[in-house]
């Protein structure tokens, strides 16, 4: 008789921008697997990913990452600069949720002229004084799976790009 291959486990989900009302997919995110096995995969054009052939009972960690945009990249523009400045000056509807997080490009928990200037410098293709503009942030930053015994589906990640605050998040 032919031996039955041992069952394997998969971890899968979707990587999406945290914009509302319709979060868009984030393609080409590297999802790195560490722990009892190693490896990586890329999210597809719909933001979906699958890490497969994992041993049941193993312990794993999955960490998403994506290279930062280069200064002057499409997707972050003067519209983002103005939206951040309007928030700082308390004009119109304030930024909220992940857009507010994306506007705090220097990570000091305040939206101010430092953030506005950093986004503007990025838009102008300058490489200094841009803080975290163009960098991706994932929530959660990683997921741990201690001694998993069943498939882990719906393991989704929300994403923002620092400095991309104005309109739907767009993959450049």
């Amino acid at each position: 008789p032919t031996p039955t291959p041992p069952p394997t486990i998969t971890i899968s989900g979707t990587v999406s921008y945290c914009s509302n009302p319709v979060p868009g997919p984030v393609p080409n995110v590297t999802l790195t697997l560490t722990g009892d096995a190693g490896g990586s995969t890329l999210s597809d054009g719909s933001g979906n990913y699958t890490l497969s052939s994992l041993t049941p009972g193993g312990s794993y960690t999955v960490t998403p990452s994506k290279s930062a945009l280069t200064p002057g990249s499409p997707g972050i523009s003067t519209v983002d600069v103005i939206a951040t400045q309007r928030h700082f000056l308390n004009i119109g509807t304030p930024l909220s949720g992940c857009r507010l997080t994306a506007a705090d490009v220097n990570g000091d928990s305040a939206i101010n002229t430092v953030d506005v200037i950093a986004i503007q410098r990025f838009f102008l293709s300058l490489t200094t004084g841009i803080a975290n503009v163009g960098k991706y942030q994932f929530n959660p930053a990683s997921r741990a799976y201690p001694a998993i015994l069943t498939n882990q589906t719906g393991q989704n990640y929300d994403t923002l790009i620092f400095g991309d605050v104005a309109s739907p998040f767009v993959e450049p």
Side-chain angles (χ1 to χ4, degrees), residues 101-122:
T101 302
D104 184 16
V105 299
N106 67 344
D108 68 354
S109 300
I111 309 303
N112 55 37
T113 55
V114 173
D115 301 297
V116 173
I117 291 168
I119 298 169
Q120 186 173 30
R121 290 179 64 80
F122 183 92

Side-chain angles (χ1 to χ4, degrees), residues 36 55-60 145-148:
D36 290 339
T55 304
S59 294
Y60 307 98
Y145 303 91
I148 62 172

